[in-house]
């Protein structure tokens, strides 16, 4: 019986066909990984495609149907860095940005031509072009966007205006531009404006950290105007108690500052009014003080000076327009001569026959005033005449929050110059010595050989001429009409009586005092009641001091 030999035992792992399985598994797994990577890449591209497609085109948004889309286009254009952005936004602000309905192309009208908004290349004009619409919200966005663009301007004035525009708009999109502008700004004033604008943006931006809000409040408080107070009042509903408390302290500080500034502003207005009263009354102080004549036609001398200014400007406009800037300087001697000559004629032909008869003098000069008014009304008509302001008297400037107009400032300087010039004439000239002698004692002056009638005529002419000069200044702040002088005659008499008849320093003090008191009282009682109150005060004051604040010394005066 033979021995059965067993076949050698082979593990299943040693099977010739199964030995390939591990290699094939690795290959399968590798192919699966590659497929998975390709699938994930495809999914990523599919997911990213809509996001890329959603990147807005600002030019496309500007031709949108809704104002919200147009506003988004304005913001996007400002942030795009497009060199054409300022021109497009300017055209939109002016109503010159047009859209062609056929292809939604944006165009800009420049005079009689039309150019492409994106490239600036000339384009064909057509009657179907429609302007891009803009409401108030879009216009505010335009202002803010142009402000962002101007923050990098080399012109300091443009950078300052841009900072103010961003402060008003408070658009959070302007923060990067503000930070960049602050990093490179070197001028302290503009840097302060940029800091205030950044603080306003941070306080208006939702989600600003409490520490940033707390740091922004002092910058807004330092601005100290009504806009700053409005921003701080908007923090009343802030969730942080510390922010609300800081805003409350800032509001209290601004209110105190504004109250002080308002009082200072009223004092400035009072000085301005006092300078006008001084100009109108200083001539009356001379005639009333020297001759004791109640000249009711003094206001018409002011009117003649204003109409002389109007005639001089009309002549310059037609004959020498290049001299218009000197029109007021040329009008001053002309107005003095016209009004002064009229004053001499009134004194020589009417007043000199009525000395010592004050009631008749008052009635006679009142009749003269009516004649002059009607004469001017017949020549020039009853309507107001326009008198232009030279360039140096136009505009205003700001001094620590105090608004000062150049016109009013120059009138104050002019009034003081006239006062000092008249003081020089009366103190340092022979004519002034004779005038003061006649004022203090007419009989003694006549006994010393002074021709008192001659002094009377020239003094009346001097007072009327100064009234004419006052008309030159008043033509810049009041209507040039036949009734111009009537608004100042009563106030002029009040100033002269309150300051002391014939005393120039008294006239100056009285004019400034009445002007300032009047303006300080107006906010509380109104203009009419303030004037009535001043009149009552002066009546009571004259009861106690009949000679006014500064009485002249002399035997005739004291008798």
């Amino acid at each position: 019986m033979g021995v059965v030999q067993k076949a050698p035992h082979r593990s299943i792992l040693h099977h010739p066909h199964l030995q390939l399985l591990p290699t094939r598994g690795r290959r399968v797994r590798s192919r699966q990984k590659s497929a998975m990577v390709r699938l994930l890449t495809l999914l990523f591209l599919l997911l990213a495609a809509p996001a890329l497609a959603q990147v807005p085109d600002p030019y496309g948004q500007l031709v949108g149907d809704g104002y919200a889309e147009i506003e988004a286009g304005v913001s996007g254009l400002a942030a795009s860095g497009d060199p054409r952005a300022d021109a497009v936004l300017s055209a939109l602000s002016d109503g010159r940005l047009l859209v062609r309905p056929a292809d939604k192309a944006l165009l800009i009208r420049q005079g009689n031509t039309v150019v492409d908004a994106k490239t600036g290349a000339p384009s064909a004009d057509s009657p179907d072009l429609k302007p891009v619409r803009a409401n108030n919200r879009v216009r505010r966005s335009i202002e803010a966007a142009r402000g962002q663009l101007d923050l990098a301007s080399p012109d300091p004035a443009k950078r300052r205006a841009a900072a103010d525009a961003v402060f008003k708009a408070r658009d959070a999109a302007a923060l990067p531009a503000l930070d960049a502008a602050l990093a490179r700004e070197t001028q302290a004033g503009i840097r302060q404006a940029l800091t205030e604008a950044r603080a306003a943006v941070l306080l208006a931006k939702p989600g600003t950290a409490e520490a940033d809000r707390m740091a922004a409040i002092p910058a807004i408080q330092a601005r100290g105007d009504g806009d700053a107070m409005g921003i701080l009042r908007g923090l009343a509903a802030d969730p942080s108690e510390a922010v609300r408390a800081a805003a409350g302290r800032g509001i209290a500080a601004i209110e105190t500052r504004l109250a002080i500034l308002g009082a200072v502003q009223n004092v400035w207005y009072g000085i301005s009014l006092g300078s006008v009263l001084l100009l109108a009354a200083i001539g009356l102080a001379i005639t009333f003080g020297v001759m004791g004549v109640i000249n009711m036609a003094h206001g018409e001398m002011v009117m003649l000076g204003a109409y002389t200014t109007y005639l001089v400007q009309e002549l310059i406009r037609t004959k020498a327009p290049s001299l218009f800037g000197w029109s007021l300087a040329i009008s001053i001697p002309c107005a003095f001569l016209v009004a002064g000559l009229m004053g001499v004629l009134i004194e020589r032909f009417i007043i000199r026959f009525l000395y010592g008869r004050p009631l008749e003098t008052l009635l006679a000069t009142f009749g003269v005033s009516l004649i002059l008014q009607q004469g001017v009304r017949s020549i020039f008509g009853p309507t107001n005449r326009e008198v232009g302001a030279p360039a140096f008297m136009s505009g205003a400037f700001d001094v620590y929050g105090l608004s000062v107009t150049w016109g009013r400032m120059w009138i104050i300087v002019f009034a003081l110059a006239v006062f000092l010039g008249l003081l020089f004439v009366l103190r340092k000239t022979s004519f002034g010595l004779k005038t003061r002698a006649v004022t203090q004692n007419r009989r003694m002056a006549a006994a010393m050989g002074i021709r008192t009638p001659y002094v009377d005529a020239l003094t009346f002419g001097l007072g009327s001429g100064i009234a004419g000069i006052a008309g030159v200044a008043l033509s810049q702040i009041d209507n040039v009409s036949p009734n111009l002088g009537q608004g100042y005659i009563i106030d002029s008499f009040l100033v002269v009586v309150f300051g002391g008849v014939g005393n120039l320093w008294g006239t100056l003090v009285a004019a400034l005092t009445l002007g300032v008191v009047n303006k300080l009282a107006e906010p509380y009682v109104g203009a009419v009641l303030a004037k009535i109150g001043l009149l009552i005060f002066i009546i009571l004051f004259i009861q106690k001091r009949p000679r006014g604040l500064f009485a002249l010394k002399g035997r005739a005066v004291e008798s």
Side-chain angles (χ1 to χ4, degrees), residues 4 8 29 42 55 69 79 86 130 153 171 221 233 259 284 334 374 376 411 429-430 437 450 463 470 547:
V4 178
R29 286 194 296 271
L42 180 61
V55 174
E69 190 174 359
D86 188 63
K130 296 181 180 180
S153 172
D171 187 1
Q221 178 183 332
R233 282 177 175 168
L284 188 63
C334 296
Q374 188 57 45
V376 170
I411 287 177
T429 64
S430 174
I450 297 176
R547 297 177 189 171

Side-chain angles (χ1 to χ4, degrees), residues 17 90 102-103 190 286 332 334-335 394 495 500 513 520 537:
H17 296 290
S90 176
D103 54 359
I190 301 177
I286 298 174
I332 290 173
C334 296
S394 302
V495 169
T513 301
L520 288 177
F537 167 76

